[in-house]
Amino acid sequence: MARFIVIERATGRVYGDTARFGAAGDVVSPADAVCLIDRHAGRPTRSFGYVNADSDAAQYDVYEIQPASFDSASTSDEEAQMLVREHGSLANSLVSYNC
């Protein structure tokens, strides 16, 4: 499965890394990745839409990290951001419909 690292657009903060959830982090889409992170953070269920990467409405940028790049979960925001820069590709930008 794909590994996703989610970055909050407004702050540049790492919202989550699906590798931090072990086998439960095996999700198939960027929206599934944010939903997984939300569940573990205790947030209510949200709906997401995909928007263009240059959209001002985007709340999250979701990057896919190829499995062969790094198998272990990032341990800090700095490490996750380094993985995005060096091994990530933008999978999608998302907007939440019910925050």
Side-chain angles (χ1 to χ4, degrees):
M1 289 286 150
R3 173 185 181 178
F4 297 103
I5 294 177
V6 181
I7 307 289
E8 290 180 336
R9 173 72 71 90
T11 65
R13 185 178 78 78
V14 174
Y15 187 62
D17 176 352
T18 58
R20 293 178 183 169
F21 302 106
D26 288 340
V27 296
V28 297
S29 75
D32 289 343
V34 179
C35 288
L36 171 73
I37 295 163
D38 280 353
R39 266 194 318 276
H40 283 274
R43 287 193 73 164
T45 302
R46 301 187 280 171
S47 298
F48 295 95
Y50 295 94
V51 295
N52 291 331
D54 61 354
S55 172
D56 290 336
Q59 293 168 297
Y60 298 99
D61 289 321
V62 184
Y63 293 87
E64 185 171 353
I65 307 297
Q66 295 305 313
S69 299
F70 284 88
D71 292 333
S72 61
S74 59
T75 57
S76 67
D77 282 4
E78 293 79 19
E79 185 180 357
Q81 297 228 357
M82 181 273 308
L83 286 170
V84 165
R85 281 191 307 276
E86 294 181 10
H87 303 284
S89 59
L90 182 66
N92 279 108
S93 295
L94 301 174
V95 61
S96 174
Y97 290 116
N98 46 348
C99 299

